[in-house]
Amino acid sequence: MASGASSSPPLPVRSLAAAVVVLLLAARGEARPPHPLRGVRPLAFDEGYAQIFGSGNLALLRDGRRVRLALDESTGAGFASQDLFLHGFFSAAIKLPADYAAGVVVAFYLSNGDVYEKTHDELDFEFLGNVRGREWRVQTNVYGNGSTHAGREERYDLPFDPTDDFHHYSILWTSQRIIFYVDETPIREVVRTAAMGATFPSKPMSLYATIWDGSTWATLGGRYRVNYRYAPFVAEFADLVIRGCAVDPAGRDPRSAACEARAGLESLAVPAERRAAMAAFRRAHTSYSYCHDRRRYPVALAECGAEALLPARMFSPDGMRQHGRRHRGGRRGGAQDDVM
């Protein structure tokens, strides 16, 4: 994550033998299983993941094909992939905590911060909780080579309630492009350019899923903190997919290009017939765009060409969407909680 925050607290040294303690939360009931994505096979937890923190706040259900992460006053929880990957398609069906969730952060992301402390790469879906009656916010971030000053953040208002049911959130990362999907709709594409250089993520990363306390910044710049009277806050993950190129932690696998081709990753890129759906989503639901943030970037970043821009009249000079804006909040990596 960007300066001043991370997608999880500092992680302990990962152990593939980390104990997973089943947390029984039957009182909350079970949401219906998500519909699998076409053409990819979900993994059971022990096929590709390990718990990284949270003690008993991680629960395995449905023979390890569903994971519950809980946040209470003692800790949050998280898990990570057992392998590092250089490129791939990574997906999870996620159901977010309902009711009052201000200050709660749920993240689904790729990172190598534990390996490259000062030059890490990261690709995020970051879900920011809100007060009762207000929607969750979804933010995507792209960091390369430690460029936390330029996280390339975008934020969206979802066209559904993500606490009612499961929805798929997916990241495609290839040597040439990064695409974020909500369900099977692409919502953002970052195409590699020469000008981006090393700020295009290019080092092996692990996949993470976490829930944690972001009280200091997550909701209106920290004005609304986690209220533990509503704990535990529970996020559920299902339909866990990794279709990627695993590499040796010691360095890049020279066969990664061949692996990328075998995995058919470019075939998952946005086809022409889906570009209209992506454009429609972006026009209707983008609430912050770094490409339109002239306060933070007086000179737009290289990839923010005409084809990447939405109509300028939609945004204020700080990159926030103009209409529907009631309240200007605190700053966090350029994006703000604009509506409460």
Side-chain angles (χ1 to χ4, degrees):
M1 286 307 325
S3 55
S6 172
S7 292
S8 65
L11 299 178
V13 176
R14 235 193 308 160
S15 169
L16 298 186
V20 175
V21 181
V22 175
L23 176 68
L24 297 178
L25 294 168
R28 289 185 173 264
E30 292 246 358
R32 66 175 176 81
H35 297 292
L37 293 175
R38 294 191 298 269
V40 290
R41 183 182 74 86
L43 299 176
F45 188 85
D46 60 4
E47 289 183 281
Y49 307 91
Q51 185 172 1
I52 52 174
F53 74 100
S55 185
N57 281 10
L58 185 151
L60 296 183
L61 305 172
R62 295 179 178 266
D63 296 323
R65 295 193 175 273
R66 184 174 297 187
V67 186
R68 280 179 173 168
L69 300 182
L71 169 67
D72 58 27
E73 288 184 274
S74 64
T75 185
F79 61 91
S81 60
Q82 295 175 10
D83 293 318
L84 285 162
F85 298 90
L86 184 63
H87 309 135
F89 179 79
F90 309 89
S91 182
I94 305 172
K95 183 175 179 287
L96 297 174
D99 202 15
Y100 187 99
V104 178
V105 179
V106 176
F108 179 68
Y109 65 107
L110 293 152
S111 179
N112 49 35
D114 56 342
V115 179
Y116 303 96
E117 182 178 353
K118 296 183 178 179
T119 59
H120 88 288
D121 305 307
E122 193 165 323
L123 300 172
D124 300 308
F125 266 111
E126 196 168 57
F127 305 91
L128 309 177
N130 218 327
V131 297
R132 182 187 283 116
R134 298 295 184 180
E135 69 278 7
W136 280 74
R137 296 303 178 87
V138 178
Q139 183 164 306
T140 60
N141 309 314
V142 176
Y143 302 118
N145 205 37
S147 63
T148 53
H149 65 287
R152 295 177 165 86
E153 300 94 341
E154 287 192 348
R155 189 174 290 185
Y156 321 95
D157 299 318
L158 293 174
F160 51 79
D161 183 348
T163 73
D164 277 349
D165 214 336
F166 285 93
H167 291 271
H168 289 97
Y169 304 90
S170 309
I171 302 171
L172 174 67
W173 171 41
T174 77
S175 58
Q176 299 304 314
R177 71 190 75 248
I178 296 157
I179 302 173
F180 295 87
Y181 303 82
V182 173
D183 292 321
E184 295 194 359
T185 299
I187 66 167
R188 179 183 183 187
E189 180 180 36
V190 178
V191 178
R192 186 173 197 162
T193 66
M196 291 180 72
T199 62
F200 186 92
S202 57
K203 298 186 291 294
M205 294 192 276
S206 298
L207 178 68
Y208 296 90
T210 60
I211 185 170
W212 57 285
D213 185 330
S215 289
T216 59
W217 63 270
T219 307
L220 205 64
R223 181 177 300 178
Y224 295 92
R225 305 177 67 83
V226 174
N227 187 335
Y228 285 102
R229 288 185 300 172
Y230 299 94
F233 303 95
V234 177
E236 297 190 59
F237 291 76
D239 211 9
L240 298 166
V241 169
I242 296 177
R243 179 174 166 181
C245 302
V247 299
D248 188 311
R252 176 172 176 157
D253 186 339
R255 296 168 297 175
S256 61
C259 171
E260 187 175 336
R262 287 196 308 274
L265 298 182
E266 278 294 336
S267 69
L268 298 172
V270 184
E273 61 270 19
R274 298 300 293 160
R275 290 199 170 272
M278 181 167 67
F281 181 98
R282 293 179 61 75
R283 182 182 288 268
H285 302 294
T286 302
S287 60
Y288 170 82
S289 168
Y290 77 100
C291 281
H292 292 270
D293 189 343
R294 291 297 169 264
R295 293 182 182 171
R296 190 176 179 204
Y297 304 108
V299 177
L301 297 183
E303 69 273 14
C304 294
E307 67 281 357
L309 295 177
L310 291 160
R313 66 181 180 276
M314 292 172 54
F315 297 93
S316 296
D318 60 0
M320 302 302 302
R321 194 179 188 99
Q322 299 238 48
H323 45 279
R325 183 177 185 163
R326 302 177 200 161
H327 201 5
R328 181 176 296 179
R331 188 178 180 91
R332 194 274 178 195
Q336 302 172 4
D337 279 295
D338 54 319
V339 179
M340 289 299 305

